Amino acid sequence: MINASNQIPEFTAFELRPLTGSLGAEILGTDLNGASDEDIAQVRMALDHYHVLAIRDQLLDPTAFHKLARRFGPFTGNPIHTPLDGFDDVVRFTREPDDRGKVIGENLHMDMAWMENPPAVTMLYGEVIPPVGGDTLFASLSAAYEGLSDTMQDLIRNLIGVHEGKGVFAVNAVHKSLGVRASAQAVEEIVAHHPLVCCHPTTGRPHLFLSGVLNRFVGMTEAESQPIISFLQSHAQRVEYACRLRWATGTLTMWSNTCLLHSAINDYPGQRRVVLRTTVAGSPPIAGS
Ligand code: SIN
């Protein structure tokens, strides 16, 4: 549960409505274009506790989105996607009505887990959202860790995951509208090691560090690692650890990238969906439980 180990602070800068018992909150009644430093600090605090925020009714063009994002921290870099003209840190994900096949981000994943220091926060802004469909599904890796038995927690506590960029280029390159950089092929060679059990840098709350590109553990073969990985992946997808976020045009969504998995839901054929995206750097994953 969200508040099992953490005291939730009071928020005065906006109205906050929790979305589920495990993660996620809606924020209403604030215009982040004119936000004070105190407003930004309160949003950051809400994010640290709820891990996913849907901040409603924001009016952001790419410049305003860029300026707002950078108030939460520096850009992580993005070796995969070509940014919008005039920006280094903002990309646009577009799904046209006649696009077929998977939507961008359809498989449950963590953004750029193959980086040595993966994004602490991902921000997405809804420019065009279908009247129904196109939700994003989130799975709390904190609730999933807390839901394991003590024995299982002890068993996995010191494992180090090997997260590989292999296959990432192909997954992105199928989306013609994405503008995947030619240099993105280099990501195929990247391998990053992250502790399987980490703790949140601000709240100290433990979480699993799973991703769609976790293939084995250090010192173990893939055959030895895969049963543990597949158990943890399916455990993390239990409905009580999930939150399904309904978008609207003007919704700004932020998530604590390493504390959850997410997937874009492919249920709006024939409709257009356009979002802006950027990522925010934070401290590298911290081992802990
Ligand atoms: C993503 O995986 O970053 C995209 C999620 C979405 O479009 O809902």
Side-chain angles (χ1 to χ4, degrees):
M1 299 308 243
I2 290 166
N3 55 1
S5 54
N6 296 293
Q7 204 64 36
I8 306 276
E10 291 285 318
F11 301 105
T12 51
F14 41 75
E15 183 190 347
L16 183 142
R17 294 183 191 160
L19 286 170
T20 73
S22 287
L23 81 166
E26 265 187 317
I27 285 188
L28 303 107
T30 185
D31 174 4
L32 293 183
N33 270 310
S36 66
D37 289 347
E38 170 59 20
D39 295 343
I40 297 291
Q42 288 200 22
V43 172
R44 186 69 208 221
M45 212 185 298
L47 184 65
D48 288 345
H49 285 84
Y50 289 92
H51 295 177
V52 181
L53 300 178
I55 306 167
R56 304 296 188 189
D57 305 318
Q58 303 301 302
L59 202 57
L60 301 173
D61 61 14
T63 301
F65 179 65
H66 152 82
K67 284 189 181 158
L68 178 60
R70 300 288 64 91
R71 293 185 73 183
F72 289 93
F75 179 46
T76 53
N78 176 350
I80 300 281
H81 307 118
T82 309
L84 289 183
D85 277 352
F87 297 89
D88 64 350
D89 60 342
V90 178
V91 296
R92 182 176 271 136
F93 289 173
T94 302
R95 174 80 167 183
E96 297 294 356
D98 56 355
D99 284 347
R100 296 286 175 268
K102 289 197 166 197
V103 298
I104 298 159
E106 184 168 328
N107 296 340
L108 203 64
H109 65 287
M110 178 186 290
D111 289 331
M112 298 190 272
W114 36 265
M115 288 176 99
E116 201 176 318
N117 189 7
V121 177
T122 297
M123 296 176 72
L124 235 56
Y125 176 71
E127 287 192 320
V128 180
I129 299 295
V132 66
D135 298 357
T136 307
L137 190 69
F138 295 92
S140 168
L141 294 177
S142 300
Y145 175 77
E146 289 158 1
L148 295 172
S149 63
D150 292 349
T151 307
M152 189 66 184
Q153 289 181 357
D154 287 344
L155 201 71
I156 64 170
R157 182 161 291 128
N158 296 317
L159 294 178
I160 306 290
V162 181
H163 303 253
E164 298 180 331
K166 198 158 172 275
V168 167
F169 179 80
V171 165
N172 283 274
V174 292
H175 301 289
K176 298 296 169 226
S177 62
L178 259 183
V180 169
R181 300 171 192 259
S183 58
Q185 302 238 23
V187 169
E188 296 288 303
E189 307 304 320
I190 296 179
V191 176
H193 291 180
H194 302 303
L196 177 60
V197 180
C198 291
C199 62
H200 189 281
T202 308
T203 64
R205 189 176 177 199
H207 62 89
L208 295 170
F209 192 115
L210 294 176
S211 78
V213 296
L214 169 61
N215 291 325
R216 64 180 177 85
F217 298 109
V218 170
M220 293 171 71
T221 63
E222 272 195 39
E224 290 166 340
S225 309
Q226 279 301 327
I228 304 173
I229 294 170
S230 98
F231 163 72
L232 292 173
Q233 297 274 16
S234 68
H235 171 74
Q237 289 175 56
R238 290 174 66 126
V239 285
E240 62 267 40
Y241 308 147
C243 162
R244 183 169 170 150
L245 190 142
R246 176 89 198 95
W247 287 84
T249 298
T251 297
L252 170 70
T253 294
M254 306 177 61
W255 62 84
S256 300
N257 180 48
T258 57
C259 298
L260 47 79
L261 296 171
H262 65 280
S263 83
I265 298 178
N266 185 355
D267 67 345
Y268 54 101
Q271 308 277 343
R272 190 159 193 260
R273 184 178 186 270
V274 186
V275 295
L276 298 177
R277 178 198 195 241
T278 191
T279 45
V280 181
S283 49
I286 304 166
S289 62

